[in-house]
Amino acid sequence: MAPSPDPQEDPRVNERTPQTRRQTREPNVAFRQLRGARSPGEFAAAVRRAAREIGEQVACDARYIGRVENGEIRCPNYAYERVFRHMFPGLTLADLGFSARETVRGRGARPLSAAPLLHITPRPAHPRDGSSDQGPGQGAGQSPGQPSDHIHIHHNQIQNRNHQNHEESDVLRRAFMTGSTATVAAVSLGLGPASAHPVQHIGEAEVTAVEEAVRRIRLLDDRHGADGLYQRAAQPLRTAYALLDASAARRSTQERLHAGAGELAISVGWLAHDSGRFGEARSHYAEALATARLAGDAGLEAHAFCNMSFLARDMGRPREAMRAAQAGERAALTLGSPRLLSLLALREAGGWAGLGDRSACEESLTRAHSHFARGASPADPEWMTFFVEAELEMLQAQCWSALGDWSRAARHAHRAATVQDPHFARNLALYRAELADDLARAGAPAESAAAGQQVLDLLNQVQSTRIQAMLADTSRILAPHRASPEVAAFLERRAAVAV
């Protein structure tokens, strides 16, 4: 089944007339009860997993869950409806706390099976028969897992111009991922593709496009790694910053645009970071930090410092890593997110470990555990959905590795790989690569080779310069143990992949 579009809600369902805008939102209590004790981020991850089980593709995140629960989304789009019905068999939209489409739209709604679908599908690998077993984001002539630069858009049952107008926000999101500044301006203003008129005024459609670009980049990075994405992601970032020069009718719109542009800069910076382009990553992170300070956005500032700390550690600047993490902690103190403070404490611990200060590292790790144990919070930033127990274990492994305690590092890396959600292939490959390296340094070559083989099994899905570099280091350490059959098999296979 082709992946369905993933606008956060059906633009036709949630469009507001002057009358509906005056209505008071009613929280969706039923949906909140279904979430139970899970955080919005954890529940969003469950939604994405359920979507994959039925062949859908939705970019659900904590913010979407929050919008449903506060009543902003009165009825989900058809893709989300299919996912929710799969998650909660037998429940109707009313049981889930949503309004019926016909009452929200003010006109008759088609049955679910007849809903118009806007599919984004990859170019077939075999043009002659149109068949392909590739997953979302793969294109012809590309290695598996490499996101395609060529996207086919199929409209089903598009009947009139009104329907095309309803799909404007989805078109705009795609324009951000594939087009130029002029293209996005043209789409948002209803102009033809050849127009180069700059955007003079921004509104909901432009801001939503920026926010969706951030989510799409993060989703693809989780699945495939950074290498195939970086060049594609640079254009949406230029577009977002071009929009900052336009005026907004509302201050809240301008604030959202600044936050979205800053988050996009961090996301693009991370793609550069993970693919070994450290100088470019540093520039993107600095741009995000400047945007945060101009807008007075403490959350964005904390995020920028968090990534700057990580980058400094990877660049061999542990003192800078420690100080950037501390600056992030100061920015985050008023945000009410223990998980964010936990992550920043882990970043600080990594800096101390790089400096060889075991005592300060352990103190930071203790604080990280204390914050993490307080659990998830509604104030947790949506970008932190990756920060679960597996990531906590991985960052500890990196600290002990930097301190030279390889056996302890290997235990944490093994735990990280064990508890990691297998759907996130990139992180799973990263954790196993860390495990292989720690085991090799701890004097367990056969076990290291076995972990390395598991990483190689995932490289048909993941493209990450970071992971390739880690495997190269592990191979060098294992080379003297080539007499071991397990090690020899790993080294031979890894050499073939590296060619």
Side-chain angles (χ1 to χ4, degrees):
M1 181 176 179
S4 296
D6 56 354
Q8 295 299 301
E9 70 277 339
D10 189 331
R12 293 160 295 178
V13 171
N14 293 286
E15 58 187 23
R16 292 191 176 95
T17 64
Q19 291 75 25
T20 59
R21 280 195 295 267
R22 288 195 293 267
Q23 294 176 355
T24 302
R25 288 180 189 165
E26 294 184 6
N28 189 333
V29 178
F31 197 87
R32 174 62 187 88
Q33 290 174 342
L34 290 171
R35 174 161 66 86
R38 288 175 287 187
S39 72
E42 292 168 336
F43 190 67
V47 172
R48 295 194 300 271
R49 285 194 297 271
R52 288 192 289 270
E53 290 171 3
I54 61 173
E56 290 288 355
Q57 182 177 332
V58 295
C60 187
D61 55 24
R63 181 173 179 270
Y64 176 83
I65 299 301
R67 294 176 69 193
V68 171
E69 292 180 0
N70 69 23
E72 181 179 347
I73 296 177
R74 299 168 59 201
C75 184
N77 71 3
Y78 289 104
Y80 275 102
E81 180 180 347
R82 284 187 284 270
V83 175
F84 293 149
R85 288 188 173 183
H86 172 66
M87 294 177 69
F88 307 107
L91 297 188
T92 64
L93 282 178
D95 296 330
L96 296 169
F98 293 110
S99 302
R101 277 193 169 77
E102 57 269 21
T103 62
V104 175
R105 289 184 183 178
R107 55 185 173 83
R110 287 172 295 254
L112 183 62
S113 60
L117 302 178
L118 183 66
H119 292 308
I120 303 176
T121 58
R123 187 182 297 276
H126 306 288
R128 285 175 294 181
D129 60 14
S131 63
S132 173
D133 59 358
Q134 295 172 317
Q138 292 173 247
Q142 293 178 298
S143 60
Q146 181 179 358
S148 171
D149 287 324
H150 306 286
I151 299 176
H152 288 181
I153 303 169
H154 302 283
H155 294 264
N156 181 26
Q157 299 180 3
I158 297 181
Q159 299 175 351
N160 52 46
R161 179 168 297 184
N162 287 335
H163 180 79
Q164 293 172 352
N165 291 338
H166 293 317
E167 302 295 349
E168 175 187 283
S169 61
D170 192 61
V171 173
L172 184 56
R173 279 187 284 272
R174 289 196 303 279
F176 256 93
M177 293 306 297
T178 60
S180 64
T181 305
T183 302
V184 177
V187 172
S188 64
L189 296 173
L191 302 173
S195 174
H197 295 288
V199 177
Q200 299 297 328
H201 300 283
I202 59 172
E204 179 69 21
E206 288 79 11
V207 174
T208 299
V210 175
E211 294 170 343
E212 285 303 306
V214 175
R215 296 186 182 102
R216 174 60 58 189
I217 288 169
R218 288 173 182 162
L219 180 65
L220 291 174
D221 176 52
D222 282 340
R223 291 179 178 175
H224 306 299
D227 285 12
L229 281 173
Y230 178 60
Q231 296 301 331
R232 288 180 64 200
Q235 178 55 55
L237 179 60
R238 288 191 292 270
T239 302
Y241 274 91
L243 289 175
L244 284 178
D245 288 331
S247 63
R250 298 180 181 178
R251 181 175 179 178
S252 60
T253 300
Q254 191 68 36
E255 289 174 349
R256 280 178 60 196
L257 183 60
H258 271 89
E263 290 293 343
L264 192 54
I266 292 174
S267 293
V268 176
W270 164 248
L271 297 179
H273 181 172
D274 195 43
S275 55
R277 302 172 173 93
F278 290 168
E280 293 172 62
R282 191 178 181 88
S283 175
H284 289 308
Y285 292 159
E287 188 171 38
L289 180 60
T291 302
R293 290 186 163 170
L294 283 172
D297 189 330
L300 180 59
E301 181 174 344
H303 190 186
F305 273 127
C306 183
N307 279 48
M308 292 171 81
S309 174
F310 191 8
L311 177 64
R313 191 209 68 173
D314 283 356
M315 295 177 71
R317 299 175 177 176
R319 191 170 300 280
E320 180 182 325
M322 175 267 293
R323 288 175 173 168
Q326 291 175 338
E329 289 175 279
R330 289 193 295 271
L333 282 175
T334 62
L335 300 177
S337 172
R339 287 287 169 90
L340 177 56
L341 290 172
S342 176
L343 177 59
L344 287 162
L346 285 163
R347 297 284 189 237
E348 183 182 345
W352 288 121
L355 290 169
D357 192 329
R358 187 184 185 100
S359 177
C361 177
E362 289 180 333
E363 190 278 330
S364 295
L365 288 177
T366 298
R367 279 191 290 113
H369 275 276
S370 177
H371 288 308
F372 192 88
R374 293 172 62 185
S377 162
D380 293 341
E382 65 177 90
W383 59 266
M384 285 193 65
T385 53
F386 78 96
F387 186 54
V388 292
E389 184 184 359
E391 186 71 11
L392 175 72
E393 294 289 343
M394 172 64 173
L395 293 178
Q396 290 179 92
Q398 292 176 338
C399 288
W400 294 117
S401 178
L403 290 167
D405 193 337
W406 312 115
S407 295
R408 194 168 186 175
R411 288 197 297 272
H412 284 288
H414 180 267
R415 174 66 178 166
T418 301
V419 301
Q420 172 60 28
D421 184 339
H423 286 106
F424 296 105
R426 186 257 174 205
N427 277 3
L428 185 58
L430 178 65
Y431 300 162
R432 287 175 174 170
E434 176 71 26
L435 175 60
D437 191 70
D438 292 334
L439 287 170
R441 297 175 189 275
E447 293 86 345
S448 172
Q453 291 278 21
Q454 292 179 322
V455 179
L456 293 175
D457 290 340
L458 292 169
L459 291 187
N460 65 335
Q461 304 175 49
V462 175
Q463 291 191 335
S464 170
T465 298
R466 172 189 299 274
I467 294 171
Q468 292 283 8
M470 292 171 73
L471 286 179
D473 286 342
T474 301
S475 297
R476 284 192 291 271
I477 298 168
L478 291 179
H481 304 278
R482 190 180 293 273
S484 164
E486 295 88 351
V487 172
F490 166 69
L491 292 176
E492 182 178 349
R493 186 181 174 198
R494 191 260 158 188
V497 170
V499 173

